Amino acid sequence: MPRHVRFGIVGTGVGADFCARGFSALASDGRAKLVAVTSRSEEHAKEFARKWGLKLWYTDHMEMLQKADIDVVIINSPHYLHCQMALDAVELGKNFLVDKPIAINLKEADTMIDAAKRGGVKLGVILQSRFDPVYKRIKEATEQGKFGRLILGDAIVKWYRTQEYYERSPWRGCWATEGGGALINQAIHTLDLLVWIMGSPKCLWAQMDTVAHKIDVEDLAIAAIRFNNNALGVVQGSTAIYPGFPTRLEIHGTNGTAIVEGEVLKKWVIVGEEEESAEQIKEGLKSWSRPESMPAVNHASLIMDFAQAILEDRAPHVDGIEGRRSLELVKAIYKSSFTNSRVDFPFKE
């Protein structure tokens, strides 16, 4: 059994930088090591390698897969490239960790999940918020019934992106390459937490629009959800709300409430227990509407879990099936808005 896991990364953008910072935090551990990078831009590949002390850099992901001595490839490419790069990794026997969303549609997600299973490799999805102590505490409390019967969950992501943000990366803002807009790119972490904590949806009704940008996809969306446990849910996702506000997740049960704003636990109230003061409540990561400003501690935890999954030959905590859940919710919201009708789960495109 190997004592450490060697990673190569595709891409040099914000997501890749987060991962590199996660590896930097794990440097003293030794079980997970970033050793190679690839970018279509030679300049970007060289600069990323220099910045993070990597000896190996490439301008083609296939060359890295074939030549670099790696166990895992982290796919931080534009959304529409996730599926093919994952299949390339499986073909060469490499485990792969893919940035959110797992793919641009459910067909591609299922193709990736099936390919990994047939190829005997591990598949993980970078939904790092599940490793944050704030959300883990809420998840554990709901499983223990501390909030009573869950009755309402709210996922609110009111961010702002300029027109230049979309024009700087032309793959953004297009159905064929981004797979959607504010929901699939910006809000998906909070949507993942919603279904992770509240459970699977039963049905939903949604509306969306493009109100502030010249793009093909949505920059504003809302949805009303009925979960399988009969709780209700509300989704608001946008990149059109100036100047941008902290993400917000609210979990309400018959016996209590937890509210997280900007990754900071703001409210923790349970019937029969003294309400926690501000000093007692963990502050969290203090994220507003610019996620690149956050520390990479949750990325480090996710990367270490994936490395341990390989070393222990188990499934990672956020595997392909788990990574698919938020994509299913996003695609169901799109379908409901397009058809102006209720959509039932499980959802098939």
Side-chain angles (χ1 to χ4, degrees), residues 268-335:
W268 183 276
V269 185
I270 295 175
V271 171
E273 298 182 9
E274 184 177 350
E275 181 175 349
E276 293 190 8
S277 66
E279 291 75 22
Q280 292 171 310
I281 293 176
K282 177 184 181 298
E283 287 197 347
L285 296 179
K286 297 185 178 179
S287 165
W288 289 72
S289 63
R290 304 304 308 185
E292 58 267 32
S293 65
M294 294 172 59
V297 59
N298 293 337
H299 279 77
S301 296
L302 183 142
I303 290 166
M304 179 53 68
D305 172 72
F306 195 78
Q308 283 295 105
I310 294 172
L311 296 173
E312 298 168 6
D313 192 23
R314 61 164 173 82
H317 288 311
V318 190
D319 61 10
I321 298 298
E322 286 298 303
R324 184 187 187 277
R325 295 178 68 189
S326 52
L327 179 63
E328 181 185 28
L329 177 57
V330 168
K331 289 298 180 176
I333 291 173
Y334 291 160
K335 180 68 172 182

Side-chain angles (χ1 to χ4, degrees), residues 66-88:
Q66 293 166 344
K67 294 183 178 180
D69 182 17
I70 59 174
D71 308 292
V72 182
V73 57
I74 301 178
I75 301 172
N76 277 114
S77 61
H79 301 173
Y80 71 101
L81 297 174
H82 288 185
C83 184
Q84 185 56 58
M85 288 185 172
L87 296 180
D88 292 339

Side-chain angles (χ1 to χ4, degrees), residues 93-108:
K94 307 296 184 182
N95 305 283
F96 61 98
L97 185 56
V98 60
D99 198 11
K100 58 76 186 172
I102 183 174
I104 60 172
N105 56 55
L106 294 174
K107 181 179 179 181
E108 288 192 355

Side-chain angles (χ1 to χ4, degrees), residues 155-158 182-183 187 191 194 204-211 218-225 233-239 241 329-330 332-338 340-341:
I156 302 168
V157 180
K158 295 180 178 179
L183 291 182
L191 300 185
L194 184 71
L204 63 77
W205 183 85
Q207 291 283 277
M208 64 183 185
D209 205 343
T210 308
V211 298
E218 91 289 351
D219 60 12
L220 178 64
I222 61 171
I225 304 170
V234 174
V235 166
Q236 298 179 49
S238 182
T239 54
I241 307 300
L329 177 57
V330 168
I333 291 173
Y334 291 160
K335 180 68 172 182
S336 176
S337 181
F338 286 141
N340 196 29
S341 63

Side-chain angles (χ1 to χ4, degrees), residues 30-44:
R31 286 175 292 176
K33 185 176 182 181
L34 182 63
V35 300
V37 62
T38 181
S39 170
R40 286 178 293 186
S41 164
E42 180 176 330
E43 178 184 357
H44 291 168

Side-chain angles (χ1 to χ4, degrees), residues 129-303:
S129 294
R130 291 198 187 192
F131 290 86
D132 188 271
V134 168
Y135 297 118
K136 289 172 69 176
R137 182 184 180 190
I138 297 173
K139 172 68 171 175
E140 292 168 1
T142 59
E143 291 178 340
Q144 294 166 3
K146 289 186 176 182
F147 296 121
R149 178 172 58 86
L150 295 179
I151 56 175
L152 179 65
D154 301 326
I156 302 168
V157 180
K158 295 180 178 179
W159 288 2
Y160 182 73
R161 295 292 183 267
T162 64
Q163 181 65 32
E164 194 271 337
Y165 164 83
Y166 291 100
E167 294 175 354
R168 187 171 65 245
S169 301
W171 66 271
R172 295 191 180 112
C174 301
W175 290 106
T177 49
E178 191 175 19
L183 291 182
I184 202 169
N185 199 341
Q186 283 75 29
I188 196 165
H189 284 293
T190 311
L191 300 185
D192 174 66
L193 293 169
L194 184 71
V195 295
W196 184 50
I197 294 169
M198 295 295 295
S200 298
K202 179 180 181 181
C203 61
L204 63 77
W205 183 85
Q207 291 283 277
M208 64 183 185
D209 205 343
T210 308
V211 298
H213 302 95
K214 295 179 180 179
I215 53 177
D216 296 332
V217 298
E218 91 289 351
D219 60 12
L220 178 64
I222 61 171
I225 304 170
R226 172 75 74 174
F227 293 96
N228 280 334
N229 58 12
N230 281 326
L232 296 178
V234 174
V235 166
Q236 298 179 49
S238 182
T239 54
I241 307 300
Y242 184 83
F245 297 90
T247 60
R248 189 173 178 93
L249 182 73
E250 299 189 8
I251 303 298
H252 303 281
T254 53
N255 289 339
T257 286
I259 298 177
V260 184
E261 185 178 86
E263 313 299 319
V264 178
L265 184 60
K266 292 291 189 178
K267 183 70 69 172
W268 183 276
V269 185
I270 295 175
V271 171
E273 298 182 9
E274 184 177 350
E275 181 175 349
E276 293 190 8
S277 66
E279 291 75 22
Q280 292 171 310
I281 293 176
K282 177 184 181 298
E283 287 197 347
L285 296 179
K286 297 185 178 179
S287 165
W288 289 72
S289 63
R290 304 304 308 185
E292 58 267 32
S293 65
M294 294 172 59
V297 59
N298 293 337
H299 279 77
S301 296
L302 183 142
I303 290 166

